[in-house]
């Protein structure tokens, strides 16, 4: 089986809330998603999707991905998509870096591998180990009463893992979390996420002021070194996110004992091929993981959900249902969500298909 053509599509996804806001004045309402369709000489099609969370969150932006794909597509046409590591070598020869663009093709190749084998992708990633996956919901940065309202709403929908976005002054954030903690249930896991906005002294002050609360502190400072310094001085477990962009980053964090948990975003590290390795290394090291992505619709959700479903229960801190963060869907067959948990079908591949009527065709490479 060989890749015969690659079609590149795009579509806008609108957030269901007022605005998706986090620290540093960053706020977004609309996200541009890129979907690729790989067609093979056997007639099978594979689907991939990537969607950066705005242009100022990670080292990728939606408008640049089609340009990257113009270089990547010719490098893999004619190759066997079931040989995922070989596909990555071809892409690395064609373009240095730009893991997010490479992830679109990689995810589509895994979809094809599953369809070719007649198996769901989770079976190829280790088997169905977490058939019912715990979800978290993000409480976007807003006025305290609005954040409390969001928290209560998510709890009523069955969510017991909550990510609270911070970004007021440190004193205000301390007061906010202290106030919200009055309604925290014992069975809930809270992750206080500042998205790199604090100095070291601010992160330490926040943690020490709330030492009596059971919370995770997520990516408190901009650099890896700053986060490591903070972790060595506080009681709360530290979850790294933006500092981890590769297997080498994860290995370094393990060597330095820099984290208690991590966010593994599939597109940020280049797709399922490198994500599977990072996942397995962290499982072996006893590190809890949130397996997710930056943004996306049903295809992106399905991709990381298959990785999460094939992760041991004890290692899966949480995942999320990004396709339900949008007012519209770009694909059918997305994972099902019920009372704060997510399940997958046993359809071959990723089990999803794009709704081409909602996508704009940008280019076809043959």
């Amino acid at each position: 089986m060989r890749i015969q053509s690659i079609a590149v599509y795009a579509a806008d996804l609108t957030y269901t809330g007022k605005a998706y806001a986090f620290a540093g004045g960053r706020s977004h309402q609309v996200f541009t998603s890129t979907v690729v369709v790989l067609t093979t000489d056997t007639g099978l099609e594979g689907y991939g999707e990537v969607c950066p969370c705005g242009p100022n969150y990670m080292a990728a932006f939606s408008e640049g991905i089609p340009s990257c794909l113009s270089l990547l597509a010719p490098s893999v046409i004619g190759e066997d998509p079931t040989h995922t590591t070989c596909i990555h070598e071809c892409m690395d020869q064609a373009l240095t870096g730009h893991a997010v663009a490479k992830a679109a093709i990689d995810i589509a190749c895994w979809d094809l591998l599953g369809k070719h084998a007649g198996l769901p992708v989770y079976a190829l990633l280790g088997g169905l180990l977490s058939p019912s996956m715990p979800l978290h919901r993000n409480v976007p940065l807003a006025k305290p009463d609005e954040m409390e309202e969001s928290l209560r709403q998510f709890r009523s929908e069955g969510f017991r893992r909550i990510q609270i976005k911070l970004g007021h002054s440190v004193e205000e954030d301390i007061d906010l979390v202290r106030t919200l903690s009055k309604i925290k249930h014992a069975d809930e896991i809270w992750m206080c996420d500042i998205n790199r906005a604090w100095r070291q002294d601010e992160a330490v002050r926040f943690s020490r002021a709330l030492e009596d609360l059971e919370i995770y502190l997520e990516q408190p400072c901009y650099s890896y070194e700053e986060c490591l310094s903070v972790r060595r001085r506080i009681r709360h477990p530290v979850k790294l996110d933006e500092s981890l962009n590769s297997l080498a980053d994860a290995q370094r964090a393990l060597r330095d004992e820099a984290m208690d948990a991590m966010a593994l975003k599939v597109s940020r590290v280049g797709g399922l091929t490198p994500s599977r390795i990072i996942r397995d290394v962290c499982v072996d090291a006893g590190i809890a993981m949130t397996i997710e992505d930056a943004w996306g619709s049903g295809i992106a959700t399905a991709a990381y959900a298959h990785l999460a479903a094939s992760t041991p229960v004890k290692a899966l801190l949480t995942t999320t249902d990004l396709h339900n963060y949008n007012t519209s869907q770009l694909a059918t067959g997305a994972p099902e969500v019920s009372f704060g948990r997510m399940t997958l079908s046993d359809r071959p591949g990723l089990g999803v298909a794009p709704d081409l009527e909602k996508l704009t065709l940008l280019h076809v490479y043959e």
Side-chain angles (χ1 to χ4, degrees):
M1 182 167 64
R2 302 286 169 176
I3 299 172
Q4 195 170 63
S5 67
I6 300 178
V8 181
Y9 296 84
D12 285 342
L13 296 170
T14 302
Y15 176 53
T16 56
K18 293 181 180 179
Y20 191 78
F22 45 103
R26 292 168 290 176
S27 178
H28 304 286
Q29 183 69 38
V30 179
F31 306 87
T32 301
S33 184
T34 303
V35 173
V36 300
V37 178
L38 272 60
T39 302
T40 69
D41 54 4
T42 66
L44 280 180
E45 289 185 344
Y47 312 122
E49 179 191 13
V50 293
C51 185
C53 188
N56 53 7
Y57 172 67
M58 54 201 290
F61 65 104
S62 297
E63 292 78 5
I65 291 173
S67 295
C68 294
L69 290 171
S70 71
L71 296 174
L72 295 171
S75 74
V76 300
I77 288 176
E79 298 294 328
D80 187 336
T82 65
H83 295 183
T84 58
T85 300
C86 292
I87 292 292
H88 261 273
E89 289 185 353
C90 291
M91 292 193 291
D92 288 342
Q93 286 291 322
L95 180 65
T96 299
H98 298 281
V100 175
K102 293 173 182 176
I105 291 176
D106 176 85
I107 290 167
C109 286
W110 277 91
D111 189 28
L112 283 168
L113 176 58
K115 290 172 179 174
H116 180 68
L119 294 169
V121 167
Y122 64 70
L124 304 171
L125 291 170
L128 189 60
L129 300 178
S130 294
S132 176
M133 297 164 277
L135 297 171
H136 73 261
R137 269 298 167 88
N138 293 323
V139 176
L141 186 65
K143 295 179 180 178
D145 58 336
E146 294 175 328
M147 296 179 73
E148 181 174 339
E149 181 181 352
S150 295
L151 175 57
R152 291 183 184 277
Q153 176 63 34
F154 296 150
R155 179 183 291 142
S156 72
E157 295 170 357
F159 293 90
R160 293 294 180 266
R161 287 161 168 79
I162 304 294
Q163 186 182 68
I164 299 173
K165 294 295 186 181
L166 303 178
H168 306 97
S169 70
V170 175
E171 289 73 21
E172 289 175 313
D173 283 336
I174 291 170
D175 290 342
L176 169 67
V177 175
R178 176 65 68 187
T179 298
L180 292 178
S181 71
K182 295 175 182 178
I183 61 170
K184 184 178 185 294
H185 289 188
D187 64 341
E188 293 176 344
I189 295 175
W190 285 16
M191 294 157 279
C192 294
D193 187 8
I194 191 60
N195 290 113
R196 303 181 293 174
W198 282 335
R199 301 189 309 262
Q200 292 184 50
D201 62 304
E202 292 173 322
V204 171
R205 188 159 79 248
F206 175 88
S207 178
R208 289 179 178 172
L210 300 170
E211 277 193 344
D212 58 309
L213 301 183
E214 293 297 327
I215 57 175
Y216 284 82
L217 193 58
E218 183 165 351
Q219 194 67 37
C221 303
Y222 189 86
S223 72
Y224 168 82
E225 290 78 12
E226 291 170 299
C227 291
L228 173 60
S229 175
V230 167
R231 184 182 184 274
R232 289 172 173 169
R233 290 183 281 162
I234 65 174
R235 185 190 71 83
H236 289 122
V238 170
K239 178 183 172 186
L240 291 183
D241 184 358
E242 292 93 333
S243 289
L244 303 176
N245 298 292
S246 66
L247 173 62
D249 287 344
Q251 289 174 316
R252 179 189 184 192
L254 292 174
R255 286 195 302 269
D256 293 344
E257 297 184 346
M259 62 182 177
D260 302 281
M262 68 170 290
L264 175 52
K265 289 185 167 67
V266 167
S267 70
R268 189 169 63 198
V269 300
L272 289 171
T273 301
S275 292
R276 174 187 56 172
I277 300 171
I278 296 170
R279 187 272 311 268
D280 290 346
V281 167
C282 289
V283 167
D284 184 67
I287 296 295
M289 286 169 284
T290 291
I291 297 178
E292 57 180 348
D293 218 321
W295 206 268
S297 187
I299 301 171
T301 299
Y304 65 73
H306 278 270
L307 184 67
S310 58
T311 299
V313 172
K314 66 178 182 179
L316 184 61
L317 179 63
T318 180
T319 184
T320 189
D321 55 329
L322 279 177
H323 59 298
N324 288 327
Y325 282 48
N326 308 304
T327 60
S328 62
Q329 299 295 329
L330 304 181
T332 59
E336 295 184 0
V337 173
S338 177
F339 209 67
R341 303 189 74 86
M342 186 162 65
T343 56
L344 284 166
S345 75
D346 59 358
R347 291 187 294 270
L350 295 176
V352 292
D355 184 346
L356 297 181
E357 293 184 356
K358 295 181 179 178
L359 299 168
T360 299
L361 179 63
L362 302 181
H363 204 283
V364 177
Y365 299 95
E366 296 179 324

